Amino acid sequence: MYDVVIKGGLIVGGPMGTSKADLAISGERVAAIGQDLKGKRVIDASGMLVLPGAIDAHVHMELPVSGTRSSDTFASGTKAAACGGVTTVIDFTVGSSQSSIPEDIERRLVDAKRSYIDYALHAEVIGWRKSRAWEMLKAIQLGVTSFKFFTAYGSSGRRTDRGALFEAFQVIGELGALAIVHAEDEEIINCIMSSLRDDEFSDMATLAKARPPLCEATAVSDVVYLAEKAGARVHIVHLSSALGLEALRRAKSFYRNATAETCPQYLLLTKDVYDGVDGYLYSASPALRSSHDTQVLWDALIEEEISMIATDHCPFTREQKAWKGRFTDLPYGLPGVETALPLIFSEGVSKRGLSVDALVRLFAENPAKIYGLFPQKGALHIGSDADVVIFDPDEEWTMSVDNLHMNVDFCPYEGMAVKGKVRTTLSRGEVIYNDGVFTGTEGRGRFLARRV
C-alpha cells in the first residue's frame, strides 16, 4: 500500500517514456509506475497529463535593482511558482566586488529559507580577478556549481571584460563547473546610446533600438569562443533573437558544450508593446524583439535547438515601474514563474505542434541535466523526488492578474486565452496546490546542494 497513487493519467517523463499508468509515491519519492496500484490516498488523473514538476532555472526573487527590489519574495514567488506547476527554482546570489562568493551564498540562503518549494542557487560573479579562484572551489563545496557573468552593465560594475572572462572560464573548466552568461555586447550598446537624441530617451520604443539583436549575437559568439578555448561548459541565458540564435548555431557547430535557454516573453511578446500606453511596464533586458524573431525562436524550440525554457522572473509593481521620463530610469524585468508552463503548453503544444515529450524536456529534464539535478529532479523515475504536476490539457481560461498569485498588479499576457491549466502540484510527495487552493507551508522548501 503506497502513500499516494495518481491513477489513470498519461505519464510523461517516466522511465518507459509516455504511458498511461498509475504513479505511486512512498514518502517523498516516486515508488512505482504500473497498473492497478493501491494507495492510502488516491488522486484521479483520468484525462490528465502527469508531468514532472517544472524547473525554472532563472528567477530573481527579492532582487535589489535600480533603487528598488523585485516584488516577489522567496515566499510569494515560490507559492506562485507551485500554482503554475513549478516545483524547483534556481535563483542567484547578489554579487559584489566587496564580498566573496561564499559570503554571497550564505546571505542568499538566509533569504531563501521562506521558500515553499525546493531551490538551488547560481553564484553571480562581480569583480573577477584570478586571486578569487578559491571562492569558486568553496562555492562548489557549498553546493553551488554554476557561475553567472554579464557582458553588459558596466556602469553598475557587473560587466566582466573578455580577458577576465577567459580567466574565469579557465578556472570553471578546471573545476568542472558551469558558466552562465547574460550575453549583450556593451561596446555596441554604448555606441548606440551615445548617438541618441535627448528626445529619444523619452520614447519607450528606443529600448529596442538601443539594445538590438546584433549586440546579443556578437556577445554569444565571443562568449562561446572563449569558453571553447578555456575548456568550460557555458550556458547562454534568455536568448531573444534570430541573430542570437544564428550565433548560437555557429558556435555549437564547433563547440558542443554550449547550451541556451529562451523565455516566454521572447516567444509571445514583441517590441510593438512599447508603443502602447503602458509600454514602460514591459521594460526588460534583453529588449523584446520583432515577430520575425519570435517565429524563428519557436521553430528552434520545436526542433530543440534551444535546450530549455526559463522565465527570468523579475517582477515589479506598477508603482515600481512608474514612468519617470526616460527608459533608462526603469527597473528591467517581467513576471513569469507562474505563467510559463500553461502559456507554452497552450501556444506551443496546442497551437504549434510542440510535443508533450519536448515540453517536459524543455521545462524539466534538460534543466535538471544541465544544472546537475537529474534524476532527483526533472523526471518521474523510480527513486526521483515526487515532484509531480497533474495538468488538464483541455481546460480553457483567460489569463489575468486577477487569477494569478505573483506579487504584481500587472500581467504581460492580460486577456490572453489559454488552453491547458495546472490542476494539482505535488512537491516531494506532498500536495501543495489543488484545484485553485494552495496548501503549502512556508519554509518547507529545501536547498539543493549540487555537485560538479
Side-chain angles (χ1 to χ4, degrees), residues 36-247:
D36 300 320
L37 303 180
K38 308 298 182 184
K40 298 172 187 175
R41 178 176 180 179
V42 174
I43 300 174
D44 183 10
S46 300
M48 305 289 172
L49 301 174
V50 179
L51 313 174
I55 299 169
D56 192 341
H58 189 157
V59 302
H60 299 286
M61 311 298 182
E62 305 180 35
L63 177 68
V65 59
S66 299
T68 186
R69 189 178 289 265
S70 59
S71 57
D72 263 322
T73 64
F74 275 92
S76 67
T78 56
K79 175 182 177 179
C83 296
V86 174
T87 54
T88 301
V89 294
I90 311 183
D91 207 295
F92 296 77
T93 64
V94 181
S96 166
S97 58
Q98 283 75 50
S99 60
S100 71
I101 293 172
E103 289 171 336
D104 298 338
I105 292 169
E106 297 291 356
R107 277 196 295 269
R108 200 60 165 159
L109 288 174
V110 173
D111 295 337
K113 283 183 177 179
R114 297 176 62 195
S115 297
Y116 285 92
I117 58 175
D118 294 350
Y119 55 93
L121 292 175
H122 307 295
E124 191 178 67
V125 182
I126 304 297
W128 170 260
R129 51 192 180 276
K130 204 164 188 178
S131 61
R132 299 184 65 182
W134 69 270
E135 297 177 26
M136 287 186 172
L137 176 58
K138 181 62 177 177
I140 290 170
Q141 293 169 347
L142 292 171
V144 176
T145 62
S146 45
F147 299 89
K148 170 76 175 292
F149 298 86
F150 296 86
T151 62
Y153 299 121
S155 61
S156 65
R158 285 182 284 172
R159 179 177 182 264
T160 302
D161 64 30
R162 290 183 185 89
L165 199 63
F166 180 67
E167 276 190 350
F169 283 1
Q170 287 180 306
V171 174
I172 288 169
E174 290 168 3
L175 293 173
L178 174 68
I180 59 177
V181 185
H182 175 123
E184 290 184 288
D185 189 280
E186 181 96 317
E187 293 176 8
I188 293 174
I189 294 168
N190 287 343
C191 181
I192 295 171
M193 293 285 282
S194 67
S195 69
L196 295 177
R197 303 183 309 272
D198 285 344
D199 63 293
E200 290 181 282
F201 284 92
S202 62
D203 182 357
M204 188 62 209
T206 306
L207 173 59
K209 176 182 177 181
R211 307 179 84 94
L214 179 64
C215 75
E216 178 176 74
T218 302
V220 168
S221 297
D222 287 349
V223 163
V224 179
Y225 188 76
L226 291 173
E228 187 236 349
K229 295 306 177 186
R233 291 192 303 130
V234 65
H235 179 75
I236 304 298
V237 296
H238 48 51
L239 194 74
S240 67
S241 66
L243 277 181
L245 177 65
E246 177 186 301

